[in-house]
Amino acid sequence: GRGEVAADRARSRNLTLAGQNAWWIDGDNYALVLDGNSTAAVDIGALNTTGSEDYLVEAWFRADKTQAGVASVLSTQKMDLRLDAKGRMEIELVSAQDTTVANVTNEDLRDDQWHHVAVNVLKSTNGGGVVYLDGQQRKLIAATAMPELYGAKMMLGNHRIMDPAALGIFSNERLKGAIDEVRIWKGRRTASVI
């Protein structure tokens, strides 16, 4: 890309640069492009946390305007960060007792624009799970409701379901769009680094 304005999407700050083509991206830059049929998985077995450890999961994603139905952005065995059928972000949390779904935003994110999403889990006494979208806190969830980071794989662009009754694993909620810069941090992170 080239341009005259550099926009920081996560913090909503813009910088106007003097001259035409004052900035450019040099070299090749790649994102995981998903067509609504293909998906990817990241091995997170070595990154699993306990019920008392802090962690942060973040990524950039872009949902195609033609995305139909529910679409998962990031999914583990105990958490699914996804777009509902109307393109609104929600988070599903799975515990031994039940499964809950919480709305994160009412905006339709199927807009072909890049969005930064982060789930910051602070298990300390005054902690909680905080979901950020484009640098803004959108949802606060009690620390006791937030699961540990758990599972062999983190699914990108699809929801992986363990089905003991069917003796297998299947996936659904496939994303049509792209995912980039997935990061997993073990330990405490503050809002200022998101």
Side-chain angles (χ1 to χ4, degrees):
R2 300 180 183 279
E4 299 173 13
V5 177
D8 181 353
R9 294 273 305 170
R11 299 282 184 208
S12 301
R13 297 182 187 122
N14 294 328
L15 171 68
T16 303
L17 304 169
Q20 211 171 19
N21 294 323
W23 67 268
W24 63 90
I25 298 173
D26 194 16
D28 295 326
N29 295 286
Y30 301 100
L32 174 65
V33 177
L34 302 165
D35 61 6
N37 296 310
S38 58
T39 64
V42 176
D43 183 357
I44 63 165
L47 299 174
N48 284 196
T49 63
T50 67
S52 62
E53 289 181 299
D54 301 332
Y55 66 92
L56 168 72
V57 177
E58 64 179 322
W60 285 87
F61 76 95
R62 177 182 52 78
D64 194 272
K65 289 180 181 179
T66 63
Q67 171 72 51
V70 177
S72 180
V73 177
L74 302 171
S75 178
T76 68
Q77 271 183 254
K78 296 190 174 192
M79 180 175 60
D80 184 23
L81 193 59
R82 65 187 181 211
L83 303 180
D84 70 10
K86 293 183 179 180
R88 301 172 299 199
M89 181 155 281
E90 61 186 17
I91 187 168
E92 177 184 83
L93 305 171
V94 179
S95 71
Q97 293 79 31
D98 62 358
T99 298
T100 59
V101 177
N103 186 308
V104 174
T105 183
N106 288 320
E107 302 163 49
D108 187 347
L109 300 176
R110 299 169 300 178
D111 57 6
D112 280 329
Q113 299 295 312
W114 284 100
H115 297 281
H116 181 259
V117 64
V119 179
N120 194 18
V121 178
L122 304 173
K123 291 288 200 166
S124 65
T125 306
N126 296 322
V130 184
V131 182
Y132 293 88
L133 182 64
D134 295 331
Q136 301 298 312
Q137 180 179 322
R138 296 297 184 102
K139 188 71 177 179
L140 178 61
I141 301 167
T144 55
M146 291 303 298
E148 63 272 18
L149 183 64
Y150 180 80
K153 305 282 184 195
M154 173 181 284
M155 305 308 293
L156 306 178
N158 122 59
H159 184 190
R160 181 177 179 178
I161 300 170
M162 307 288 282
D163 188 351
L167 300 174
I169 300 170
F170 68 95
S171 63
N172 62 3
E173 301 177 3
R174 295 182 181 221
L175 177 70
K176 185 174 184 182
I179 298 175
D180 200 7
E181 297 185 35
V182 177
R183 293 186 183 99
I184 301 170
W185 305 82
K186 279 181 89 170
R188 177 169 292 274
R189 296 290 179 265
T190 62
S192 64
V193 300
I194 299 170

